Amino acid sequence: MEVVIVEDAAAGGETVAQSIAQLLRAKPDALLGVATGSTPGPVYRALTAKARAGEVDVSAARIAQLDEYVGLPAGHPESYRSVVLREVVAPLGLAEDAFMGPDGSAEDVRAACLAYDRALAEAGGVDLQLLGIGTDGHIGFNEPCSSLASRTRIKTLTEQTRVDNARFFDGDITQVPRHVITQGIGTILEARHLVLLATGENKADAVALAVEGPVASVVPASALQLHPHATVVVDEAAASKLKLADYFRATYAAKPDWQGL
Ligand code: GLP
């Protein structure tokens, strides 16, 4: 995989937004897989700025959600559907029907998972999937020891992830749902381009294991090593435990500008 080391979170956002803009210029109706959490915010802001400045036409873009909490009432502000509509779909000026996601409040959650997996394929597959990484190495909500071949399904969150995500629920872990729907690792690997963005020192261990460790389900993000077009964009802090950091810097510096990520 390609590892791109940038100075800080803002530079990471700009780098990934440029890549998305490049994709949309080549394929205006690209299906963009988006992640939630704090990390991708700079990407969405940078892409919105490019769209407003007329640098890229995003009007035909389609947006697909990566994962969702189970059991939050429909319209809950911290459901990932609400987050994606608020942070991506609305700022880009897209209509809600440009958006697809799993139904976390469905009565039959298993059927909702299967339906979403099918819907992604029927939509032609994800062109670029943006991913964050959990401190335990998860992608989407695929917690450690998720099957590397898994499909969209229900998962139980680890205590660590519930602690990490409590900040979105007034710091109250009891409000963080225990169950989630997530695109499986096998589903994620079907996207044409995977872009994992990680910023901050608290991600350094997970990034080093994912990039330089063995492919292992105990570090779900290591599955990116199996993908023919996977890019990991990290700021200096998140790159601080990479043994090959200098090699990654030299490789990226030698790459022609036009090539993108
Ligand atoms: C959640 C999401 C992931 C995200 C992770 C890291 O668990 N399901 O998709 O990558 O949080 O979030 P953050 O970027 O806030 O650290």
Side-chain angles (χ1 to χ4, degrees):
M1 63 177 97
E2 180 177 41
V3 179
V4 178
I5 301 176
V6 295
E7 199 180 327
D8 53 20
E14 179 59 29
T15 302
V16 177
Q18 269 172 25
S19 178
I20 296 174
Q22 195 173 11
L23 168 65
L24 288 172
R25 284 183 204 112
K27 184 176 182 183
D29 66 345
L31 182 57
L32 305 174
V34 297
T36 50
S38 318
T39 310
V43 177
Y44 306 141
R45 288 193 286 278
L47 184 63
T48 300
K50 287 183 193 309
R52 289 186 183 159
E55 286 172 39
V56 58
D57 180 4
V58 299
S59 61
R62 296 169 299 146
I63 305 294
Q65 194 179 332
L66 178 62
D67 50 7
E68 182 59 284
Y69 291 112
V70 168
L72 290 179
H76 188 289
E78 291 308 325
S79 75
Y80 283 173
R81 173 180 293 259
S82 299
V83 172
V84 172
L85 290 175
R86 188 169 66 231
E87 295 184 359
V88 187
V89 176
L92 292 179
L94 299 173
E96 277 199 32
D97 64 5
F99 162 84
M100 58 195 290
D103 183 358
S105 54
E107 237 169 69
D108 186 343
V109 180
R110 246 189 108 241
C113 294
L114 295 173
Y116 188 53
D117 218 87
R118 241 188 342 262
L120 287 169
E122 282 167 12
V126 172
D127 289 292
L128 183 152
Q129 177 65 55
L130 179 58
L131 298 164
I133 186 169
T135 55
D136 61 3
H138 73 240
I139 49 173
F141 268 137
N142 293 283
E143 294 286 28
C145 294
S146 288
S147 158
L148 300 184
S150 50
R151 310 300 307 178
T152 301
R153 69 210 183 292
I154 307 172
K155 287 291 288 181
T156 303
L157 293 181
T158 62
E159 187 68 6
Q160 179 64 55
T161 298
R162 294 183 68 232
V163 168
D164 287 349
N165 288 4
R167 67 189 194 282
F168 295 112
F169 294 85
D170 301 322
D172 179 1
I173 190 172
T174 65
Q175 288 184 44
V176 183
R178 290 178 186 279
H179 296 104
V180 291
I181 296 176
T182 183
Q183 284 189 37
I185 296 176
T187 314
I188 291 169
L189 288 174
E190 284 172 4
R192 294 177 188 90
H193 183 193
L194 299 180
V195 179
L196 187 149
L197 177 63
T199 54
E201 210 188 329
N202 67 329
K203 299 293 173 69
D205 285 317
V207 166
L209 285 169
V211 172
E212 295 176 343
V215 175
S217 64
V218 73
V219 183
S222 67
L224 268 71
Q225 296 178 33
L226 299 169
H227 195 281
H229 190 187
T231 311
V232 176
V233 179
V234 279
D235 69 354
E236 292 288 351
S240 60
K241 298 204 172 151
L242 289 172
K243 296 192 190 78
L244 290 168
D246 285 342
Y247 171 67
F248 295 139
R249 282 191 191 93
T251 308
Y252 187 61
K255 196 171 171 178
D257 279 349
W258 54 262
Q259 206 172 338
L261 293 182

